[in-house]
């Protein structure tokens, strides 16, 4: 099942077709996704003659029908014998020598041959397409994985992680620290963001350093990273970062960005400093100032995001950040809404489909109906009254006729409407959008901040020597009106002077200045 | 991205008033911040980003202000004072020297007679301006000879406010913040990356220009479009076509389907392309001259090695081309066009031979293909990252090899496009030699242009794109009609729109009822079409798009609400940007199975003998989705 190291993760390059031993996401219905590791059928598997089979309420799907097909393919369900498998198992449990009996009970002869051959691969039963039922097979992406992954903890969903990764500048080549790997949804999204190739011979590449405190979660996550071919670009460490810090094998990851999904980020923050923090929790720490290594990239500003559900956590986190020198502290809360698109079908003469509201569409339609009822009533009232004694029976006769009449009229109307416009039912009514029935109104508070790189007296002296000032020629930025006018005048003169080629040259030179 | 401010870099200067100024830092100039003063640009060049600088008073023997880095302990001094005071009641009156406060020992009646703190009601708060005893002239006077980076002005203003003692602690804090914003002479330098640039463009420039695309939306579109680095560059070999060879010498479109290419429709003047390029790692030039960083030096050396391993590479991405230009400069490049390639190699033996006219400079993977409606793609905002799409002799930039543009006409009716259909000029070596340099230059330019357009159009039409990302003013239905056939199976689709209506209309094309009707076999016009023909379904009124080609359609919107976090005063901001909300349509390109496919499920029928349409739509609701 595990992906070999030389293979690129299906998350980063799934290739054109589905591959064996690789992750695929089965889309059963719109929001019902199922992650599956496709296997080459090699003989009977779990009682199925077709090899491994995925059973859903939309039918059974042997892996063999899903291998080597282009991504996005619609897969038909197959006729799979699910019934006798269960029976066979039960029987096996109860009495062992009843084997021949199961074979005779309903399995086809070719199966029996396969079972006899044992190790032969050819023995797999060819899947037979079913008359109904289908699914789609999709390449894994962090978004699909996030909606389909096995939950171990609260998941960081796409609306949050997409915003976070954008704000903490996770780009190809960045090194990212993630603490609290949890269910791994953020891990997958962030490794896609920082990926710029697998590291070969010590060349620095984008990488995610992930930390997980919980041992069982760590082992599951470790397995997942291997299965998804992310080894080498995700480094998972089992550690309590509050006490242990963020160094890996004693070395600094040199992180450019940090994401903390921890209950107490302020406990971990002192480790994410440029220098050994003064207010470290345990002053008896044997490591001295000189021996302390910062896990951050010393050359760059480091971006951080913490993810906490409670406002009290935010207050403490922000307070700790201020004391540790983080700037541009910004707290936001992302609210995401999904919208459902449907057609609102209201009207008296629409078909009586499900979802149609058979009430008047507008005032005119209401008036027309009321007037019709009124006229009919008058018609009825205008008829000469008969004797009292036979009135009841008369009405009994009359009522059904009236109903029929009305019904017939409506049908005529409906038919007319249908024939005149011939609008198919899926184009009837007004297009509307409405929110989903339940919204995630609060996920977590996100605290963003930046830690500028350290700037010492020596650095400043070096920079001052490299870029001495006192030779200023002109003013840029906010300039007064007179200066702006003068500049514009000069510009216009220049444009008149030079020809097109000269201008182009000038522009290129300017571009070169910017990039060079 | 550079770690320090480079000369001529575009940066954002954040002023105390909250205003951001985006300027290009030209060396040896004076940067003016308006009322906050001015300083020499050289004082920030070479310094790191995100530091807060304070303009110091001019030294007696200098005619410019020097800068001081403000330590964070000073930036947050007031908050710390707040946190230190147990009741958190008097934000302004606190402790250390770094806080702007009125002279020590001054007492304020924020406490009542018994010494208890009162949080005053608004009833007693009187209009601010009425209570300031300093006149405008006096304030101006203070500002002129104001020293200590404006802190003196603020302290004096506070002192001369007669009703200061009537203010609640909150309004006092607010008053001080207001005055600080106005007078403190500080600023911060931020790098121009997609996030900060988009925010500036949205909030302080023309939001319309980028279709009101907020950071949340840029993030969502990028993620749902699955835009990411797609592998090392793959470059085609140089065909080395002779000058008298025409079309026939062109490189054929690679047989093997290309991967890692994204199709873009961008009406945000290039912001969307910039965001995607950032995600794919092709927006920022290599940090080649950052000598201070050992890490980057290593990378640079690596790239040179790579180039030597692949001598056949016509023009390498960014890093190698960078070197070339350093050798001979841009002006020489311009002239070099006119020089026949043979003599060129002698002239500069150190340099690799110049690629022939028909060499394709574009990478075959990790590329962005922009479809545009005008004759030129409008990607003007890429200028902020040093890329100008209109420049013919562009200095090295990674986007040069990874960004391709073509018009809708070239995509759909290439034969009508003259730059695609006109065959390239040919000439024998002798005739070529007899021409004037300018004519020769033109000749080569035309041939190069032809080869590139041919390559772009042909590879785009070959399809197999890894994703489609849109932020366009055009109708998304018409965009998908022509781009769906170009997408590989399972390719994600992410379409941004400032308003929901166009996306709702698009989602309706894939409604369950429509798809069910399409699959029911009751559509006579599709009865005899093959799978390929169905993929290229031209659309009609009832079925604008083939509803089976997209799966998992969804529309969403996101909004980030900003909060103020201060001790005892944490709450969401009172005002935020309104305007278009912004919506994202997402889905995946599906490959429908051949023939009729029925859904599975238990179909309850409400009424016996209902019509076929009802039956089928119910089926779909239960069975398909």
């Amino acid at each position: 099942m595990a992906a070999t190291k030389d293979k690129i993760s299906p998350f980063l390059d799934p290739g054109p077709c589905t591959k064996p031993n690789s992750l695929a996401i089965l889309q059963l219905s719109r929001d019902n996704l199922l992650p599956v590791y496709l296997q080459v059928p090699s003989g009977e598997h779990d009682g199925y003659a077709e090899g491994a089979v995925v059973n859903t309420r939309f039918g059974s799907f042997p892996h063999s029908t899903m291998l080597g097909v282009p991504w996005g393919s619609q897969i038909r369900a197959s006729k799979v014998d699910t019934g006798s498998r269960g029976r066979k198992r039960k029987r096996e449990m109860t009495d062992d020598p009843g084997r021949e009996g199961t074979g005779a009970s309903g399995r086809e002869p070719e199966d029996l041959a396969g079972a006899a051959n044992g190790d032969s691969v050819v023995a797999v039963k060819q899947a037979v397409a079913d008359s109904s039922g289908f699914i789609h097979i999709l390449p894994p992406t962090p978004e699909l994985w996030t909606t389909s992954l096995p939950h171990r903890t609260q998941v960081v969903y796409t609306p949050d992680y997409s915003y976070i990764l954008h704000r903490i500048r996770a780009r190809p080549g960045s090194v990212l620290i993630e603490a609290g790997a949890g269910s791994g949804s953020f891990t997958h999204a962030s490794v896609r963001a920082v990926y710029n190739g697998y590291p070969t011979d010590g060349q620095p590449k984008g990488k995610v350093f992930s930390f997980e405190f919980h041992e069982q979660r760590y082992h599951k996550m470790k397995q997942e990273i291997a299965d998804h071919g992310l080894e080498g670009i995700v480094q998972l460490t089992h550690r309590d970062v509050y006490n242990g810090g963020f160094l890996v094998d004693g070395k600094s990851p040199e992180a450019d960005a940090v994401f903390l999904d921890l209950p107490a980020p302020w406990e971990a923050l002192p480790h994410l400093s440029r220098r050994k923090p003064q207010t470290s929790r345990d002053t008896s720490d044997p490591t001295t100032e000189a021996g302390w290594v910062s896990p951050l990239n010393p050359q760059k500003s480091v971006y951080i995001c913490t993810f906490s559900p409670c406002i009290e956590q935010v207050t403490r986190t922000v307070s700790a950040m201020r004391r540790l020198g983080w700037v541009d502290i910004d707290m936001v809360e992302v609210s995401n809404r999904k919208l459902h698109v449907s057609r609102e079908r209201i009207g008296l003469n629409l078909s009586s489909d499900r979802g149609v509201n058979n009430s008047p569409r507008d005032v005119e339609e209401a008036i027309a109906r009321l007037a019709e009822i009124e006229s009919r009533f008058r018609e009825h009232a205008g008829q000469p009254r008969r004797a009292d004694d036979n009135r009841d029976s008369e009405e009994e006769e009359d009522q059904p006729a009236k109903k029929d009449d009305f019904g017939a009229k409506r049908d005529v109307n409906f038919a007319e409407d249908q024939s005149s416009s011939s609008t198919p039912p899926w184009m009837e009514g007004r297009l509307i959008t409405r929110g989903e029935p339940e919204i995630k109104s609060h996920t977590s508070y996100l605290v963003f901040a930046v830690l500028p790189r350290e700037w010492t007296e020596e650095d400043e002296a070096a920079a001052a020597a490299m870029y001495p000032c006192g030779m200023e020629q002109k003013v840029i930025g906010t300039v007064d009106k007179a200066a702006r006018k003068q500049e514009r005048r000069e510009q216009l003169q220049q444009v008149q002077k030079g020809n097109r080629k000269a201008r182009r040259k000038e522009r290129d030179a300017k571009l070169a200045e910017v990039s060079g | 991205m550079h770690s320090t401010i480079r000369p001529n870099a575009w940066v954002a200067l954040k002023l105390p008033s909250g205003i951001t100024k985006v300027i290009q830092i030209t060396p040896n100039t004076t940067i003016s911040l308006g009322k906050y003063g001015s300083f020499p640009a050289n004082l920030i060049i070479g310094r790191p980003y995100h530091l807060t600088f304070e303009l110091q008073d001019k030294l007696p023997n200098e005619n410019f202000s020097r800068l001081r880095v403000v330590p964070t302990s000073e930036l947050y001094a007031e908050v710390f004072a707040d946190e230190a005071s147990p009741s958190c009641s008097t934000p302004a009156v606190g402790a250390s020297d770094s806080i702007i406060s009125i002279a020590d020992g001054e007492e304020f009646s924020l406490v009542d007679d018994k010494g208890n703190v009162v949080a005053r009601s608004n009833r007693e708060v009187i209009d601010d301006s009425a209570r300031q005893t300093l006149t405008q002239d006096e304030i101006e006077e203070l500002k002129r000879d104001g020293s200590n980076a404006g802190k003196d002005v603020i302290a004096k203003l506070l002192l001369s406010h007669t009703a200061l003692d009537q203010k609640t602690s909150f309004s006092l804090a607010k008053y001080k913040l207001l005055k600080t914003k106005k007078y403190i002479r500080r600023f911060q330098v931020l790098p121009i990356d997609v996030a900060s640039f988009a925010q500036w463009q949205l909030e302080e420039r023309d939001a319309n220009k980028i279709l009101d695309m907020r950071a949340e939306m840029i993030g969502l579109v990028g993620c749902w479009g699955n835009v990411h680095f797609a592998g090392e560059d793959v470059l085609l070999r140089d065909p080395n076509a002779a000058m008298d060879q025409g079309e026939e010498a062109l490189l054929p479109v690679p047989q093997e389907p290309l991967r890692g290419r994204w199709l873009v429709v961008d009406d945000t003047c290039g912001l969307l392309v910039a965001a995607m390029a950032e995600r794919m790692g092709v927006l920022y030039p290599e940090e080649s001259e950052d000598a201070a960083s050992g890490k980057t030096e290593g990378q640079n050396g690596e790239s040179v090695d790579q180039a030597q391993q692949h001598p056949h590479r016509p023009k390498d991405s960014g890093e190698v081309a960078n070197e070339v230009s350093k050798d001979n400069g841009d002006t020489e490049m311009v002239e070099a066009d006119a020089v026949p390639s043979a003599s060129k190699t002698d002239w500069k033996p150190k340099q690799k031979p110049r690629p022939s006219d028909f060499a394709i400079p574009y990478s075959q993977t990790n590329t962005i293909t922009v479809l545009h409606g005008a004759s030129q793609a409008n990607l003007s905002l890429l200028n902020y990252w040093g890329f100008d799409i209109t420049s013919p002799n562009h200095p090295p930039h990674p986007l040069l090899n990874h960004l391709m543009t073509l018009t809708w006409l070239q995509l759909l009716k290439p034969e009508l496009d003259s730059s695609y259909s006109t065959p390239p000029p040919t000439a024998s070596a002798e005739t070529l030699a007899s021409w004037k340099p300018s004519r020769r230059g033109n000749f080569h330019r035309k041939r190069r242009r032809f080869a590139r357009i041919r390559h772009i159009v042909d590879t785009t039409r070959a399809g197999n794109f890894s994703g489609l990302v849109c932020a366009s003013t055009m109708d998304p239905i018409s965009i998908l009609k022509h781009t769906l056939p170009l997408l590989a199976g399972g390719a994600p689709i992410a379409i941004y729109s400032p308003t929901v209506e166009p996306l709702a209309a698009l989602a309706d094309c894939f409604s369950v009822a429509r798809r069910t009707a399409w699959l029911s076999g009751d559509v006579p016009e599709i009865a005899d079409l093959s799978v390929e023909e169905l993929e290229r379904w031209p659309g009609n009124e009832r079925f604008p798009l083939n509803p089976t080609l997209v799966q998992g359609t969804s529309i969403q919107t996101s909004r980030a609400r900003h909060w103020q976090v201060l001790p005892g005063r944490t709450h969401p901001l009172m005002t935020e940007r309104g305007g278009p909300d912004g919506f994202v349509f997402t889905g995946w390109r599906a490959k429908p199975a051949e023939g009729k496919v029925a859904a599975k499920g238990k179909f309850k029928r409400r009424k016996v003998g209902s019509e076929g349409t009802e039956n089928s739509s119910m089926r779909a609701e239960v069975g398909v989705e």
Side-chain angles (χ1 to χ4, degrees), chain A residues 76 299 323 343 354 478 508, chain B residues 3 32 83 391 594 621:
Chain A
R76 288 167 195 274
Q299 304 291 337
R323 281 170 202 283
R343 283 189 173 263
R354 218 174 67 150
T478 319
D508 289 343
Chain B
S3 56
S32 165
E83 284 177 347
S391 170
E594 239 173 300
E621 266 152 25

Side-chain angles (χ1 to χ4, degrees), chain B residues 56 156 215 264 275 369 404 411 466 520 530 599:
Chain B
Q56 289 179 305
K156 286 218 174 75
V264 186
T369 305
M404 294 179 262
L411 173 72
S466 317
S520 67
S530 67

Side-chain angles (χ1 to χ4, degrees), chain A residues 12-13 58 72 76 130 133 169 299 322-323 326 333 335 337 339 343 354 460 468 474 476 478 508, chain B residues 3 21 30 32 42 47 76 83 193 259 391 508 555 557 559 561 565 591 594 598 600 621 623:
Chain A
L12 301 167
D13 184 5
F58 304 104
R76 288 167 195 274
D130 204 349
R169 273 72 169 178
Q299 304 291 337
R322 287 196 179 113
R323 281 170 202 283
W326 294 83
E333 180 192 12
S335 71
R337 267 187 317 137
L339 298 174
R343 283 189 173 263
R354 218 174 67 150
E460 176 58 37
K474 66 175 198 180
I476 56 171
T478 319
D508 289 343
Chain B
S3 56
K21 274 189 183 311
T30 299
S32 165
N42 288 17
R47 275 67 163 189
Y76 298 125
E83 284 177 347
D193 48 28
R259 276 144 56 172
S391 170
D508 187 51
I555 297 178
T557 177
R559 190 173 263 278
R561 186 174 204 190
V565 184
K591 292 239 173 233
E594 239 173 300
K600 195 175 223 142
E621 266 152 25

